[in-house]
């Protein structure tokens, strides 16, 4: 998912190739999968939310001040917008304020809203039912003449189906549903899903966004990408892995959220000095390097501290 985000935002500035496959939707799926996989009933509702915020906030606040430092021009609203971002309220007003420092920040409130919602349901509700209801909701919104209002498209209810799709995938895996005999082996199926995503994302270059927007089913492009991302995750979960296999990629994947947060900052700085393939490669290397460094030096220590802090927020049934 981090790779798709990098492709979306790096290819056009450096090599002039338009690409878009809604990689953010894959992060939503992953958040839903891991929450349903580990609902952490040992914590109270407040404790669960606190643990999730500790997971999101350290890298996010560092990124926020990084974008503040490199922003070339600040207007009279900058302090108010900074406070809104710091309080994770960056989508309560207008899209211009959401994008003020870094456009990819738009999804942060969706994560927080999901964690708050999930804290009160944990695994007491069937993710299949939640997915069905939330998917019906977003399709209904898209089929209205005006479509969903902008403020709704920046919040959790509009993307709830992606989070709950992660829960559906977790349920399928936890119940050891056998892999369908009529499908290719899961490893091959995963490659096919990725190939479809890359092909669809490349349509922006091959056909053009303006012509694509005229197609009657194009309004459901995000949902199609989300299902392909979910299919990729499901296939990978069914793929047998040898011990130690993919350790290097796993290390990068753990820093995926930081890659998402910092890649525009790196893009803006590298563009000042490099372009073309060399600029693209340098931007990718610096983004991954910075993300892994923050993961190891900032996020991991704070997460360990957070677990100790979380002992104060144990559910009554788990207290000594």
């Amino acid at each position: 998912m981090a790779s798709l985000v990098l492709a979306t935002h790096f290819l056009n500035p450096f090599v002039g190739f338009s690409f878009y496959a809604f990689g953010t939707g894959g992060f939503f799926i992953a958040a839903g999968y891991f929450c349903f996989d580990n609902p952490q009933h040992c914590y109270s509702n407040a404790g669960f939310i606190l643990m999730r915020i500790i997971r999101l906030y350290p890298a996010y606040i560092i990124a926020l001040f990084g974008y503040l430092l490199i922003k070339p021009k600040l207007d009279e609203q900058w302090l108010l917008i900074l406070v809104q971002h710091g309080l994770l309220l960056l989508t309560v007003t207008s899209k211009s304020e959401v994008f003020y420092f870094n456009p990819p920040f738009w999804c942060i409130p969706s994560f927080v809203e999901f964690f708050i919602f999930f804290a009160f349901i944990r695994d007491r509700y069937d993710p299949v039912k939640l997915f069905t209801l939330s998917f019906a909701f977003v399709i209904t919104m898209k089929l209205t003449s005006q479509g969903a209002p902008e403020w709704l498209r920046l919040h959790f209810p509009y993307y709830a189906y992606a989070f709950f799709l992660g829960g559906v995938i977790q349920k399928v895996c936890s119940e050891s549903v056998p892999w369908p005999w009529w499908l290719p082996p899961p490893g091959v199926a995963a490659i096919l899903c990725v190939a479809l995503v890359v092909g669809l994302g490349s349509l922006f270059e091959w056909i053009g966004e303006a012509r694509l927007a005229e197609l009657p089913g194009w309004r459901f492009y995000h949902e199609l990408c989300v299902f392909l991302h979910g299919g990729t995750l499901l296939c990978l979960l069914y793929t047998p892995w040898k011990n130690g296999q993919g350790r290097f990629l796993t290390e990068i994947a753990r820093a995926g959220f930081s890659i998402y947060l910092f890649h525009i900052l790196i893009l803006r700085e590298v563009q000042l000095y490099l372009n073309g393939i060399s600029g693209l490669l340098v931007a990718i290397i610096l983004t991954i390097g910075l993300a892994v460094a923050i993961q190891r030096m900032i996020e991991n220590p704070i997460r360990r501290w957070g677990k100790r802090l979380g002992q104060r927020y144990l559910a009554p049934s788990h207290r000594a």
Side-chain angles (χ1 to χ4, degrees):
M1 294 309 104
S3 298
L4 292 177
V5 171
L6 292 183
T8 298
H9 294 144
F10 280 9
L11 289 179
N12 194 38
F14 286 116
V15 297
F17 188 92
S18 298
F19 182 91
Y20 179 60
F22 192 45
T24 306
F27 282 101
F28 292 158
I29 294 173
Y33 173 85
F34 286 113
C35 278
F36 279 95
D37 190 52
N38 182 23
Q40 299 185 42
H41 289 302
C42 60
Y43 293 118
S44 64
N45 291 342
F48 176 84
I49 296 171
L50 177 63
M51 293 300 99
R52 297 298 89 203
I53 295 298
I54 288 175
R55 171 66 183 94
L56 287 176
Y57 205 74
Y60 167 70
I61 202 67
I62 293 172
L64 175 58
F65 281 99
Y67 287 104
L68 173 64
L69 291 175
I70 69 167
K71 190 169 179 63
K73 184 178 180 181
L74 297 172
D75 56 33
E76 65 277 3
Q77 296 294 317
W78 75 269
L79 183 57
L80 174 61
I81 298 174
L82 179 67
V83 172
Q84 288 177 342
H85 278 60
L87 296 176
L88 301 174
L89 297 173
L90 60 163
T91 60
V92 296
T93 51
S94 68
K95 189 174 180 179
S96 61
E97 291 176 332
V98 177
F99 286 13
Y100 188 81
F101 291 111
N102 176 34
F105 280 167
W106 72 267
C107 71
I108 302 299
S110 294
F111 282 105
V112 175
E113 291 157 5
F114 166 67
F115 294 143
I116 293 173
F117 179 84
F118 186 82
F120 291 93
I121 66 165
R122 308 294 178 95
D123 60 357
R124 291 189 291 271
Y125 292 89
D126 184 2
V128 175
K129 294 179 180 178
L130 291 169
F131 166 76
T132 302
L133 291 172
S134 57
F135 187 64
F137 170 76
V138 74
I139 294 301
T140 301
M141 288 290 99
K142 290 212 164 188
L143 289 176
T144 59
S145 58
Q146 299 296 325
E150 183 179 83
W151 65 266
L152 180 60
R153 298 198 303 270
L154 297 170
H155 285 281
F156 161 68
Y158 197 69
Y159 301 99
Y161 76 95
F163 290 98
F164 296 137
L165 178 58
V168 173
I169 293 171
Q170 188 279 329
K171 182 177 181 178
V172 170
C173 293
S174 65
E175 295 180 354
S176 300
V177 177
W179 183 258
W181 62 268
W182 44 270
L183 288 178
V188 175
I191 294 173
L192 291 175
C193 286
V194 172
L196 281 172
V197 168
V198 172
L200 285 171
S202 300
L203 289 176
F204 287 82
E205 178 68 20
W206 297 332
I207 300 178
E209 187 172 0
R211 292 177 60 188
L212 288 170
E214 298 174 357
L215 299 178
W218 192 251
R219 68 175 68 183
F220 302 109
Y221 178 71
H222 285 86
E223 289 72 29
L224 176 58
C225 287
V226 166
F227 278 104
L228 287 173
H229 300 335
T232 303
L233 174 60
L234 182 64
C235 293
L236 291 175
L237 290 168
Y238 270 85
T239 301
W241 298 91
K242 298 178 181 178
N243 291 334
Q245 187 176 2
R247 185 175 299 172
F248 174 72
L249 292 177
T250 301
E251 183 72 17
I252 296 176
R254 287 173 177 165
F257 182 60
S258 291
I259 291 174
Y260 184 88
L261 291 176
F262 289 95
H263 71 281
I264 297 295
L265 187 149
I266 297 296
L267 168 64
R268 291 173 180 173
E269 292 302 297
V270 172
Q271 274 188 300
L272 298 175
Y273 306 100
L274 295 172
N275 53 36
I277 295 296
S278 59
L280 175 64
L281 293 176
V282 169
I284 292 173
I285 293 170
L286 290 179
T287 298
I288 293 175
L290 177 62
V292 171
I294 289 176
Q295 167 85 4
R296 290 184 173 183
M297 296 188 295
I298 306 294
E299 291 187 271
N300 288 344
I302 290 180
R303 199 174 305 163
R304 290 192 291 268
W305 169 81
K307 289 182 178 180
R308 295 194 296 270
L309 178 65
Q311 297 300 310
R312 303 179 185 179
Y313 295 91
L314 293 176
S317 60
H318 288 79
R319 292 174 183 170

